[in-house]
């Protein structure tokens, strides 16, 4: 059986087909425009003469992930124009007539890294993406973490020293939350240029690593993950993760009595990039579909 997966991002949708073993048989990427147009392009890709066992969607959020909820499948309070209250599950189900599974893009990526990537054999870990926005998903005791809604790691509050960084923050809801201070969009607004054009500006990455390390420290304090995987476009700046690890060790201050955090060099294996790279999201979405189909079978 083959399955479809969509990494539904705010700027692009990556659609792929796979057999659920961590390989992409085919994939295509569409820009995220209006819901109608984007969903229609995805449906056309999947409809192309194949029998799918289901489609999984790893979506930008916030989304309603609770199957019992009347609004299950909706992208809820997103500030992205035109997308608030779009029900991606209902739209895809009616276009394709197959079961549709849904989770956050970061939970889908976490699932893929658990199966085939940097988190194989771990029970509790986080997947954080630092791109246009910041999102975080988590597996806790072997289960994808939901709850009241789903984790919103990007919107945690962190200390913001206005004297060092007078930028008010880019989050339309909270201003200077973690995403507001450290997302790719925050970098672009603060420095007037996107991160890719600021590679040689040491102060940019020093500040960025300060905010990300503060965010990771909060995650370590609350979820006690066995590893933290950091994906997305911003960490492709090669100086960033080493700075984050260094600052994180300083902030942890020797309090956390775990070899992964204390031994020299061990933190390099604790804060890591995704093994699956940019394919984690779409592979995870395919895995959402496969695992939902498996649970339906008697
Ligand atoms: Zn926010």
């Amino acid at each position: 059986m083959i399955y479809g997966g969509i990494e539904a991002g705010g700027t692009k949708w990556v659609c792929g087909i796979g057999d659920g073993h961590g390989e992409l048989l085919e994939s295509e990427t569409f820009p995220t425009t209006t819901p109608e147009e984007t969903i229609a392009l995805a449906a056309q890709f999947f409809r192309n003469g194949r029998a799918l066992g289901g489609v999984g969607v790893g979506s930008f959020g916030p989304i309603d992930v609770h199957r019992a909820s009347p609004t299950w499948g909706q992208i809820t309070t997103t500030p992205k124009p035109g997308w608030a209250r779009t029900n991606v599950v209902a739209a895809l189900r009616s276009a394709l007539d197959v079961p549709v599974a849904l989770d956050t893009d970061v939970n889908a990526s976490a699932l893929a890294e658990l199966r085939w990537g940097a988190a194989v054999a771990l029970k509790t870990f986080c997947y954080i993406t630092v791109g246009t926005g910041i999102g975080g998903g988590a597996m806790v005791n072997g289960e994808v973490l939901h709850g009241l809604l789903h984790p919103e790691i990007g919107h945690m509050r962190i200390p913001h020293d206005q004297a060092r960084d007078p930028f008010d923050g880019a989050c339309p809801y909270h201003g200077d939350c973690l995403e507001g201070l450290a997302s790719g969009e925050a970098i672009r607004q603060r420095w007037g240029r996107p991160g890719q054009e600021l590679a040689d500006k040491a102060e940019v990455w020093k500040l960025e690593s300060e905010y990300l390390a503060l965010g990771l420290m909060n995650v370590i304090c609350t979820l006690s993950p066995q590893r933290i995987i950091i994906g997305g476009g911003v960490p492709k700046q090669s100086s960033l993760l080493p700075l984050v690890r260094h600052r994180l060790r300083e902030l942890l201050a020797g309090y956390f009595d775990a070899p992964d955090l204390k031994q020299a060099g061990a933190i390099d294996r604790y804060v890591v990039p995704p093994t699956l790279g940019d394919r984690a999201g779409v592979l995870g979405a395919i895995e959402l579909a496969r695992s939902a189909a498996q649970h339906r079978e008697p």
Side-chain angles (χ1 to χ4, degrees), residues 181-226:
L181 290 172
S183 64
E185 180 56 22
I187 293 173
R188 194 188 63 75
Q189 287 188 22
R190 179 189 295 107
W191 304 98
R193 279 186 289 157
Q196 305 93 289
E197 296 175 20
L198 297 162
D200 55 347
K201 297 266 181 269
E203 69 271 32
V204 172
W205 306 107
K206 184 116 193 348
L207 186 66
E208 180 70 9
S209 66
E210 173 75 17
Y211 291 144
L212 292 181
L214 285 163
L216 296 197
M217 168 138 185
N218 290 347
V219 169
I220 292 168
C221 291
T222 48
L223 287 180
S224 208
Q226 295 164 290

Short mmCIF file of all heavy atoms in Angstrom, two decimals, residues 181-226:
data_model
loop_
_atom_site.label_atom_id
_atom_site.label_comp_id
_atom_site.label_asym_id
_atom_site.label_seq_id
_atom_site.Cartn_x
_atom_site.Cartn_y
_atom_site.Cartn_z
N LEU A 181 11.10 36.99 18.57
CA LEU A 181 12.47 37.46 18.68
C LEU A 181 13.47 36.69 17.81
O LEU A 181 14.51 37.22 17.44
CB LEU A 181 12.94 37.38 20.14
CG LEU A 181 12.28 38.38 21.11
CD1 LEU A 181 12.68 38.06 22.54
CD2 LEU A 181 12.66 39.82 20.76
N ALA A 182 13.17 35.41 17.51
CA ALA A 182 14.23 34.56 16.96
C ALA A 182 13.86 33.85 15.66
O ALA A 182 14.67 33.09 15.12
CB ALA A 182 14.65 33.53 18.01
N SER A 183 12.65 34.06 15.13
CA SER A 183 12.30 33.41 13.86
C SER A 183 13.04 34.07 12.71
O SER A 183 13.61 35.15 12.86
CB SER A 183 10.79 33.53 13.63
OG SER A 183 10.45 34.90 13.48
N GLY A 184 12.99 33.43 11.55
CA GLY A 184 13.58 34.02 10.35
C GLY A 184 12.96 35.37 10.05
O GLY A 184 13.64 36.31 9.62
N GLU A 185 11.67 35.49 10.29
CA GLU A 185 10.97 36.76 10.06
C GLU A 185 11.47 37.83 11.03
O GLU A 185 11.64 38.99 10.66
CB GLU A 185 9.45 36.53 10.20
CG GLU A 185 8.59 37.76 10.00
CD GLU A 185 8.79 38.45 8.65
OE1 GLU A 185 9.27 37.82 7.70
OE2 GLU A 185 8.48 39.67 8.57
N ALA A 186 11.72 37.43 12.28
CA ALA A 186 12.25 38.38 13.27
C ALA A 186 13.64 38.87 12.84
O ALA A 186 13.95 40.06 12.94
CB ALA A 186 12.31 37.73 14.66
N ILE A 187 14.46 37.95 12.36
CA ILE A 187 15.80 38.33 11.90
C ILE A 187 15.68 39.35 10.75
O ILE A 187 16.34 40.39 10.74
CB ILE A 187 16.59 37.08 11.43
CG1 ILE A 187 16.89 36.18 12.64
CG2 ILE A 187 17.88 37.48 10.71
CD1 ILE A 187 17.51 34.84 12.28
N ARG A 188 14.78 39.04 9.82
CA ARG A 188 14.62 39.92 8.66
C ARG A 188 14.16 41.32 9.09
O ARG A 188 14.69 42.34 8.64
CB ARG A 188 13.60 39.31 7.70
CG ARG A 188 13.60 39.94 6.31
CD ARG A 188 12.45 39.44 5.46
NE ARG A 188 11.15 39.78 6.02
CZ ARG A 188 10.60 41.01 5.97
NH1 ARG A 188 11.24 41.99 5.38
NH2 ARG A 188 9.42 41.24 6.53
N GLN A 189 13.19 41.36 9.99
CA GLN A 189 12.67 42.67 10.42
C GLN A 189 13.70 43.45 11.24
O GLN A 189 13.84 44.65 11.10
CB GLN A 189 11.39 42.50 11.23
CG GLN A 189 10.19 42.10 10.38
CD GLN A 189 8.89 42.11 11.17
OE1 GLN A 189 8.77 42.76 12.20
NE2 GLN A 189 7.91 41.36 10.70
N ARG A 190 14.42 42.73 12.14
CA ARG A 190 15.37 43.43 13.02
C ARG A 190 16.56 43.99 12.26
O ARG A 190 16.99 45.12 12.47
CB ARG A 190 15.86 42.50 14.12
CG ARG A 190 16.86 43.17 15.06
CD ARG A 190 17.51 42.18 16.01
NE ARG A 190 16.61 41.58 16.96
CZ ARG A 190 16.18 40.31 16.90
NH1 ARG A 190 16.59 39.51 15.91
NH2 ARG A 190 15.38 39.84 17.81
N TRP A 191 17.10 43.16 11.35
CA TRP A 191 18.36 43.53 10.70
C TRP A 191 18.15 44.07 9.28
O TRP A 191 19.10 44.48 8.62
CB TRP A 191 19.31 42.32 10.65
CG TRP A 191 19.58 41.74 12.02
CD1 TRP A 191 18.97 40.64 12.57
CD2 TRP A 191 20.51 42.20 13.01
NE1 TRP A 191 19.46 40.40 13.83
CE2 TRP A 191 20.41 41.34 14.13
CE3 TRP A 191 21.42 43.27 13.06
CZ2 TRP A 191 21.17 41.50 15.29
CZ3 TRP A 191 22.19 43.43 14.22
CH2 TRP A 191 22.06 42.56 15.31
N GLY A 192 16.90 44.04 8.80
CA GLY A 192 16.59 44.62 7.49
C GLY A 192 16.93 43.72 6.31
O GLY A 192 16.73 44.10 5.17
N ARG A 193 17.45 42.53 6.61
CA ARG A 193 17.79 41.58 5.54
C ARG A 193 17.55 40.17 6.05
O ARG A 193 17.63 39.93 7.25
CB ARG A 193 19.27 41.72 5.16
CG ARG A 193 19.54 42.88 4.21
CD ARG A 193 20.98 42.90 3.75
NE ARG A 193 21.89 43.29 4.81
CZ ARG A 193 23.19 42.96 4.81
NH1 ARG A 193 23.71 42.24 3.85
NH2 ARG A 193 23.97 43.37 5.81
N PRO A 194 17.28 39.21 5.15
CA PRO A 194 17.09 37.83 5.62
C PRO A 194 18.41 37.22 6.12
O PRO A 194 19.50 37.68 5.74
CB PRO A 194 16.59 37.09 4.38
CG PRO A 194 16.97 37.92 3.22
CD PRO A 194 17.09 39.34 3.70
N GLY A 195 18.29 36.20 6.96
CA GLY A 195 19.45 35.57 7.58
C GLY A 195 20.51 35.11 6.59
O GLY A 195 21.71 35.20 6.87
N GLN A 196 20.06 34.63 5.41
CA GLN A 196 21.04 34.13 4.42
C GLN A 196 22.02 35.22 4.00
O GLN A 196 23.14 34.93 3.59
CB GLN A 196 20.35 33.59 3.15
CG GLN A 196 19.32 32.53 3.33
CD GLN A 196 17.93 33.12 3.46
OE1 GLN A 196 17.62 33.74 4.47
NE2 GLN A 196 17.09 32.91 2.46
N GLU A 197 21.58 36.48 4.10
CA GLU A 197 22.45 37.59 3.68
C GLU A 197 23.25 38.17 4.85
O GLU A 197 23.93 39.18 4.69
CB GLU A 197 21.60 38.69 3.03
CG GLU A 197 20.92 38.23 1.75
CD GLU A 197 19.98 39.30 1.19
OE1 GLU A 197 20.14 40.49 1.53
OE2 GLU A 197 19.09 38.92 0.39
N LEU A 198 23.15 37.51 6.01
CA LEU A 198 23.81 38.05 7.20
C LEU A 198 24.84 37.07 7.77
O LEU A 198 25.24 37.18 8.93
CB LEU A 198 22.75 38.36 8.28
CG LEU A 198 21.73 39.44 7.90
CD1 LEU A 198 20.49 39.35 8.79
CD2 LEU A 198 22.35 40.82 7.99
N ALA A 199 25.25 36.12 6.92
CA ALA A 199 26.11 35.03 7.40
C ALA A 199 27.37 35.52 8.11
O ALA A 199 27.81 34.93 9.09
CB ALA A 199 26.50 34.13 6.22
N ASP A 200 27.94 36.64 7.64
CA ASP A 200 29.21 37.10 8.23
C ASP A 200 29.02 38.10 9.37
O ASP A 200 29.99 38.66 9.88
CB ASP A 200 30.09 37.73 7.12
CG ASP A 200 29.35 38.84 6.39
OD1 ASP A 200 28.10 38.94 6.55
OD2 ASP A 200 29.99 39.61 5.66
N LYS A 201 27.79 38.31 9.80
CA LYS A 201 27.54 39.28 10.88
C LYS A 201 27.45 38.53 12.22
O LYS A 201 26.40 38.00 12.59
CB LYS A 201 26.22 40.02 10.63
CG LYS A 201 26.23 40.86 9.36
CD LYS A 201 26.62 42.31 9.68
CE LYS A 201 26.63 43.21 8.48
NZ LYS A 201 27.93 43.29 7.79
N ALA A 202 28.57 38.51 12.94
CA ALA A 202 28.65 37.71 14.17
C ALA A 202 27.59 38.11 15.19
O ALA A 202 27.05 37.25 15.90
CB ALA A 202 30.05 37.86 14.77
N GLU A 203 27.27 39.42 15.27
CA GLU A 203 26.31 39.86 16.30
C GLU A 203 24.92 39.28 16.06
O GLU A 203 24.16 39.04 17.00
CB GLU A 203 26.28 41.40 16.41
CG GLU A 203 25.68 42.14 15.22
CD GLU A 203 26.69 42.50 14.12
OE1 GLU A 203 27.67 41.74 13.93
OE2 GLU A 203 26.49 43.53 13.44
N VAL A 204 24.58 39.05 14.79
CA VAL A 204 23.27 38.46 14.46
C VAL A 204 23.16 37.08 15.10
O VAL A 204 22.16 36.74 15.75
CB VAL A 204 23.10 38.35 12.93
CG1 VAL A 204 21.84 37.56 12.57
CG2 VAL A 204 23.09 39.73 12.29
N TRP A 205 24.20 36.28 14.96
CA TRP A 205 24.12 34.88 15.37
C TRP A 205 24.36 34.72 16.86
O TRP A 205 23.87 33.78 17.48
CB TRP A 205 25.07 34.05 14.50
CG TRP A 205 24.71 34.30 13.06
CD1 TRP A 205 25.41 35.04 12.16
CD2 TRP A 205 23.47 33.95 12.42
NE1 TRP A 205 24.70 35.15 10.98
CE2 TRP A 205 23.51 34.49 11.12
CE3 TRP A 205 22.33 33.25 12.82
CZ2 TRP A 205 22.46 34.34 10.20
CZ3 TRP A 205 21.28 33.09 11.92
CH2 TRP A 205 21.36 33.63 10.64
N LYS A 206 25.09 35.68 17.44
CA LYS A 206 25.27 35.68 18.90
C LYS A 206 23.91 35.92 19.57
O LYS A 206 23.52 35.21 20.50
CB LYS A 206 26.28 36.79 19.27
CG LYS A 206 26.65 36.86 20.71
CD LYS A 206 28.13 36.55 20.85
CE LYS A 206 28.65 36.29 22.20
NZ LYS A 206 28.17 36.44 23.39
N LEU A 207 23.20 36.92 19.08
CA LEU A 207 21.88 37.23 19.66
C LEU A 207 20.90 36.08 19.40
O LEU A 207 20.15 35.66 20.29
CB LEU A 207 21.35 38.54 19.06
CG LEU A 207 20.04 39.06 19.66
CD1 LEU A 207 20.25 39.48 21.12
CD2 LEU A 207 19.50 40.25 18.85
N GLU A 208 20.93 35.57 18.18
CA GLU A 208 20.03 34.45 17.82
C GLU A 208 20.28 33.25 18.73
O GLU A 208 19.35 32.61 19.20
CB GLU A 208 20.26 34.09 16.35
CG GLU A 208 19.40 32.94 15.83
CD GLU A 208 17.92 33.30 15.69
OE1 GLU A 208 17.57 34.48 15.85
OE2 GLU A 208 17.12 32.37 15.46
N SER A 209 21.56 32.95 18.98
CA SER A 209 21.88 31.79 19.81
C SER A 209 21.46 32.01 21.26
O SER A 209 21.05 31.08 21.95
CB SER A 209 23.38 31.46 19.73
OG SER A 209 24.14 32.49 20.30
N GLU A 210 21.52 33.26 21.72
CA GLU A 210 21.06 33.57 23.07
C GLU A 210 19.57 33.21 23.21
O GLU A 210 19.17 32.50 24.14
CB GLU A 210 21.26 35.08 23.34
CG GLU A 210 20.67 35.59 24.64
CD GLU A 210 21.50 35.19 25.86
OE1 GLU A 210 22.67 34.79 25.68
OE2 GLU A 210 20.97 35.25 26.99
N TYR A 211 18.75 33.66 22.27
CA TYR A 211 17.31 33.42 22.35
C TYR A 211 16.98 31.92 22.21
O TYR A 211 16.16 31.38 22.93
CB TYR A 211 16.57 34.23 21.28
CG TYR A 211 16.60 35.72 21.53
CD1 TYR A 211 16.69 36.63 20.48
CD2 TYR A 211 16.54 36.22 22.83
CE1 TYR A 211 16.72 37.99 20.71
CE2 TYR A 211 16.57 37.59 23.07
CZ TYR A 211 16.67 38.47 22.01
OH TYR A 211 16.70 39.83 22.26
N LEU A 212 17.65 31.28 21.26
CA LEU A 212 17.34 29.85 21.07
C LEU A 212 17.78 29.04 22.29
O LEU A 212 17.08 28.13 22.73
CB LEU A 212 17.99 29.32 19.79
CG LEU A 212 17.42 29.89 18.49
CD1 LEU A 212 18.13 29.29 17.29
CD2 LEU A 212 15.91 29.65 18.38
N ALA A 213 18.94 29.38 22.86
CA ALA A 213 19.40 28.64 24.05
C ALA A 213 18.44 28.84 25.22
O ALA A 213 18.15 27.89 25.96
CB ALA A 213 20.81 29.10 24.43
N LEU A 214 17.91 30.06 25.38
CA LEU A 214 16.92 30.30 26.44
C LEU A 214 15.67 29.44 26.19
O LEU A 214 15.12 28.83 27.12
CB LEU A 214 16.52 31.79 26.47
CG LEU A 214 17.55 32.74 27.09
CD1 LEU A 214 17.25 34.19 26.71
CD2 LEU A 214 17.59 32.58 28.62
N GLY A 215 15.24 29.38 24.94
CA GLY A 215 14.08 28.55 24.60
C GLY A 215 14.35 27.09 24.90
O GLY A 215 13.52 26.39 25.50
N LEU A 216 15.52 26.60 24.50
CA LEU A 216 15.84 25.18 24.73
C LEU A 216 15.93 24.87 26.23
O LEU A 216 15.50 23.81 26.68
CB LEU A 216 17.16 24.80 24.06
CG LEU A 216 17.24 24.89 22.54
CD1 LEU A 216 18.44 24.11 22.04
CD2 LEU A 216 15.98 24.39 21.86
N MET A 217 16.47 25.82 26.98
CA MET A 217 16.55 25.59 28.42
C MET A 217 15.15 25.39 29.01
O MET A 217 14.92 24.50 29.82
CB MET A 217 17.24 26.77 29.11
CG MET A 217 17.08 26.71 30.62
SD MET A 217 18.56 27.14 31.46
CE MET A 217 18.07 26.82 33.16
N ASN A 218 14.20 26.23 28.58
CA ASN A 218 12.82 26.08 29.07
C ASN A 218 12.24 24.72 28.71
O ASN A 218 11.54 24.09 29.50
CB ASN A 218 11.93 27.19 28.50
CG ASN A 218 12.28 28.55 29.08
OD1 ASN A 218 13.00 28.63 30.06
ND2 ASN A 218 11.79 29.61 28.47
N VAL A 219 12.52 24.28 27.48
CA VAL A 219 12.03 22.97 27.04
C VAL A 219 12.65 21.86 27.89
O VAL A 219 11.97 20.91 28.31
CB VAL A 219 12.34 22.77 25.54
CG1 VAL A 219 12.08 21.34 25.13
CG2 VAL A 219 11.49 23.71 24.70
N ILE A 220 13.94 21.98 28.17
CA ILE A 220 14.62 20.96 28.98
C ILE A 220 14.02 20.94 30.40
O ILE A 220 13.78 19.87 30.98
CB ILE A 220 16.14 21.23 29.02
CG1 ILE A 220 16.74 20.99 27.63
CG2 ILE A 220 16.83 20.35 30.07
CD1 ILE A 220 18.16 21.48 27.47
N CYS A 221 13.73 22.11 30.93
CA CYS A 221 13.16 22.19 32.28
C CYS A 221 11.75 21.59 32.35
O CYS A 221 11.36 21.04 33.36
CB CYS A 221 13.09 23.64 32.75
SG CYS A 221 14.71 24.37 33.06
N THR A 222 10.97 21.74 31.28
CA THR A 222 9.57 21.30 31.37
C THR A 222 9.34 19.88 30.87
O THR A 222 8.56 19.15 31.45
CB THR A 222 8.65 22.26 30.58
OG1 THR A 222 9.21 22.49 29.29
CG2 THR A 222 8.50 23.58 31.29
N LEU A 223 10.02 19.47 29.79
CA LEU A 223 9.73 18.16 29.20
C LEU A 223 10.83 17.13 29.43
O LEU A 223 10.61 15.94 29.20
CB LEU A 223 9.52 18.29 27.68
CG LEU A 223 8.22 18.94 27.23
CD1 LEU A 223 8.18 19.00 25.71
CD2 LEU A 223 7.02 18.16 27.74
N SER A 224 12.00 17.56 29.83
CA SER A 224 13.12 16.66 30.04
C SER A 224 13.39 15.74 28.84
O SER A 224 13.49 14.52 28.97
CB SER A 224 12.88 15.81 31.31
OG SER A 224 14.11 15.45 31.88
N PRO A 225 13.50 16.33 27.65
CA PRO A 225 13.71 15.51 26.45
C PRO A 225 15.08 14.83 26.47
O PRO A 225 16.05 15.38 27.01
CB PRO A 225 13.65 16.53 25.31
CG PRO A 225 14.02 17.84 25.94
CD PRO A 225 13.50 17.77 27.35
N GLN A 226 15.13 13.63 25.87
CA GLN A 226 16.41 12.90 25.76
C GLN A 226 17.27 13.47 24.63
O GLN A 226 18.46 13.18 24.55
CB GLN A 226 16.14 11.43 25.51
CG GLN A 226 15.44 10.74 26.66
CD GLN A 226 14.85 9.42 26.22
OE1 GLN A 226 13.88 9.39 25.46
NE2 GLN A 226 15.42 8.33 26.68
#
